Amino acid sequence: MTVSTRVSRFARPIALTGVTLARGERGAAIVEMALVLPLLLALLMGILVYGHYFMLAHNVQQAANDGARAAIVGLDAADRRAVAERAVARSIDPAAGTHSVAVSETADAITVAVTFTAADDSFLRSSFVPSPDHVIRARATFELPVD
């Protein structure tokens, strides 16, 4: 075998058929999907986690508002506290987590502070994406009616 035949054997052009091109495009699509899919999943999980957080934060603020609004009809401080705790308990879904209520009162206003801790199986405890705090705090203040 001469040098010229060796060169010509390695230098000859490869005929690209439809099957070879299709196989190459399929491989490129798999590589592109492998690069893009983790980013897409992280984006979708971020949407779920933060959407869940904003929904819970809204619900906790609404529960504090409901508690303070309901508490202004109480006869004395103990009655106002009990009414506020019942109103908050009605407003917050017990399956979503645990909550605590603190009621403070001045001569002309009542403040209800709600602290909500998300359940262990909540999206807020996800480690796939950076998530906000799983403890949500809200407070609402209403003026007491003047006698």
Side-chain angles (χ1 to χ4, degrees):
M1 207 186 270
T2 65
V3 174
S4 63
T5 55
R6 258 196 226 153
V7 171
S8 65
R9 186 176 73 181
F10 291 116
R12 69 183 162 163
I14 298 173
L16 294 176
T17 63
V19 174
T20 308
L21 285 176
R23 197 175 306 144
E25 289 176 13
R26 231 180 307 149
I30 290 172
V31 169
E32 290 171 2
M33 186 180 74
L35 292 172
V36 172
L37 189 63
L39 296 173
L40 180 64
L41 288 176
L43 178 67
L44 290 175
M45 277 300 294
I47 290 170
L48 284 174
V49 166
Y50 279 89
H52 187 67
Y53 172 78
F54 290 133
M55 180 193 69
L56 285 176
H58 174 75
N59 288 347
V60 171
Q61 182 62 54
Q62 190 61 39
N65 292 345
D66 292 345
R69 191 178 302 115
I72 60 174
V73 299
L75 300 175
D76 59 358
D79 189 32
R80 283 190 281 272
R81 178 176 176 75
V83 168
E85 287 175 351
R86 282 194 306 270
V88 169
R90 276 193 310 269
S91 296
I92 291 184
D93 181 17
T98 59
H99 69 278
S100 63
V101 180
V103 179
S104 61
E105 190 173 329
T106 62
D108 56 349
I110 186 165
T111 300
V112 175
V114 178
T115 302
F116 178 82
T117 305
D120 291 335
D121 60 346
S122 172
F123 278 129
L124 297 182
R125 305 274 181 130
S126 169
S127 61
F128 190 68
V129 293
S131 58
D133 194 13
H134 63 277
V135 177
I136 301 171
R137 293 175 179 81
R139 68 179 32 217
T141 301
F142 276 78
E143 291 185 14
L144 290 171
V146 258
D147 295 331

